[in-house]
Amino acid sequence: MRIEHIEYFVETARLGSIVKAAASLGRQRSTVSMAIAALEDELGVALFDRTGNSLELSALGESILEDCHRLLSLHLGIKQRCLIGDHSQRQELRIGRDDALSETFWRQIILQLRQRYPHLSLSMRFASSDELPDLVRQQQLDIAYGLTENLYDPAEGLYRRIVGRITMRMMIAHNHPLSLLQHVTDRDLRSLAQITYMDSSNQERFHMEHVGSERIALSSFELVRDAIRDGLGWGYVPEPLLQLEQRDAQELTPLRHGLMVTGYPYLVYSRETLLSPARQSHLLSEVNDLVAQAMQQLGAQA
């Protein structure tokens, strides 16, 4: 039996249609149809009951479906083990990050890393952006990513580099009256609470200090975004966290203020240069390339 014939059978059984299975697999309908016919000829049974355009698993097809799933799982496992070769070369990677970039962003990074390194032992830790350098320095993390207000803050003993820039936008709930103004002044802002980002030392960051409004300080950018969405006040939100909101719900609106847009560097921290020929550094360099490329796709250009 050819493994691709098993794959075509399983996908057709899952979707109940050769046409849908072909689209899912990126194959021609005739390719999938002939593969299933060849598998049926080899096994000497009908795997599907066909009535007009209707397609349902036969009793025999149903009985072997679970074992076909196991075959595909074994095949994938064999391929992955062969990709890494010697198991003594397994690696561990500990990544730290703040939440200026979305969960969806990091989910894609994890997926791509696992595809490249199927047996990589991977952990990812969320921390405030000001904590990340210390966690790398203390060897609790191998590499970390975070937004910074001051590019010249000391990071003694660490290698750091700008991966990209993240735009911060001054936002308010879409149904608030200030969202309709053509120009918002500091005086307008003082009538509302400013939602600010609070770091691990309880310092407020990424905010307007000269606007003496009431403050609500929160420990993550996602909490800041959600508090603004809930109508608790106004504040700055990283643009990557706004894309889903603006596309789907239109729950947040930019304020038309002279400082409605600001940009900050997004840094990577590691204990050694990412250009080192060492094996670990090569892995870290690949991780950093993935993050930089994904940020470019978001429009956060370096």
Side-chain angles (χ1 to χ4, degrees):
M1 290 182 291
R2 295 175 59 178
I3 197 68
E4 62 265 30
H5 291 181
I6 299 293
E7 182 182 7
Y8 297 168
F9 161 65
V10 166
E11 192 68 359
T12 301
R14 183 178 75 87
L15 296 174
S17 165
I18 288 177
V19 173
K20 292 179 181 178
S24 173
L25 294 164
R27 298 290 186 271
Q28 296 291 326
R29 174 183 177 179
S30 58
T31 301
V32 176
S33 180
M34 287 189 293
I36 292 174
L39 182 60
E40 289 178 321
D41 288 343
E42 183 177 357
L43 296 175
V45 298
L47 298 175
F48 293 97
D49 293 328
R50 298 167 174 83
T51 305
N53 293 326
S54 175
L55 192 69
E56 294 183 2
L57 276 172
S58 67
L60 279 170
E62 184 73 41
S63 70
I64 69 168
L65 182 60
E66 190 168 330
D67 285 334
C68 287
H69 284 297
R70 290 193 178 95
L71 280 173
L72 292 179
S73 179
L74 286 170
H75 175 254
L76 180 61
I78 290 170
K79 286 179 64 178
Q80 290 177 340
R81 286 197 297 273
C82 290
L83 282 174
I84 66 165
D86 186 356
H87 284 203
S88 66
Q89 299 300 314
R90 289 186 179 182
Q91 292 178 273
E92 179 181 0
L93 179 63
R94 299 164 300 173
I95 302 174
R97 54 93 180 179
D98 63 8
D99 68 335
L101 297 170
S102 69
E103 299 289 343
T104 300
F105 178 95
W106 290 110
R107 176 184 175 187
Q108 291 302 313
I109 297 298
I110 292 170
L111 176 61
Q112 292 178 68
L113 280 174
R114 289 294 293 176
Q115 289 172 341
R116 291 190 185 190
Y117 298 93
H119 291 274
L120 177 68
S121 179
L122 176 66
S123 63
M124 182 170 285
R125 176 173 177 176
F126 166 75
S128 174
S129 55
D130 65 298
E131 291 181 284
L132 293 170
D134 283 338
L135 293 174
V136 175
R137 191 179 292 109
Q138 295 163 11
Q139 299 187 29
Q140 296 184 46
L141 297 172
D142 299 307
I143 193 168
Y145 294 88
L147 194 62
T148 182
E149 281 184 301
N150 186 358
L151 186 59
Y152 303 102
D153 282 343
E156 185 178 351
L158 294 183
Y159 169 82
R160 63 180 184 175
R161 175 180 172 186
I162 297 177
V163 185
R165 293 189 67 84
I166 289 184
T167 297
M168 302 280 282
R169 295 193 178 275
M170 185 187 292
M171 307 299 293
I172 198 165
H174 78 288
N175 57 357
H176 193 279
L178 287 186
S179 68
L180 302 176
L181 294 182
Q182 291 302 310
H183 178 67
V184 175
T185 67
D186 289 353
R187 182 176 180 179
D188 295 324
L189 297 179
R190 292 189 186 102
S191 65
L192 297 173
Q194 181 177 177
I195 314 298
T196 64
Y197 176 85
M198 182 177 63
D199 67 19
S200 62
S201 59
N202 296 325
Q203 298 297 311
E204 296 178 54
R205 305 169 63 195
F206 310 103
H207 67 290
M208 290 175 60
E209 294 184 1
H210 69 273
V211 177
S213 56
E214 177 186 350
R215 305 291 181 83
I216 300 176
L218 302 171
S219 61
S220 80
F221 292 113
E222 289 190 353
L223 286 173
V224 169
R225 179 200 62 191
D226 293 343
I228 297 170
R229 182 175 59 185
D230 291 339
L232 299 182
W234 63 275
Y236 285 100
V237 182
E239 190 169 45
L241 299 185
L242 294 171
Q243 293 176 350
L244 179 63
E245 301 300 332
Q246 297 289 15
R247 184 172 61 248
D248 292 343
Q250 293 292 321
E251 293 181 330
L252 295 172
T253 299
L255 284 171
R256 298 176 181 88
H257 184 276
L259 297 176
M260 64 182 292
V261 177
T262 60
Y264 296 99
Y266 198 68
L267 299 185
V268 56
Y269 302 91
S270 63
R271 289 185 301 278
E272 57 188 65
T273 173
L274 302 181
L275 302 179
S276 166
R279 180 178 177 84
Q280 177 72 359
S281 294
H282 177 73
L283 173 60
L284 298 184
S285 181
E286 282 204 47
V287 173
N288 202 52
D289 287 344
L290 287 176
V291 173
Q293 291 166 11
M295 288 190 71
Q296 287 180 0
Q297 292 174 2
L298 285 175
Q301 300 289 342

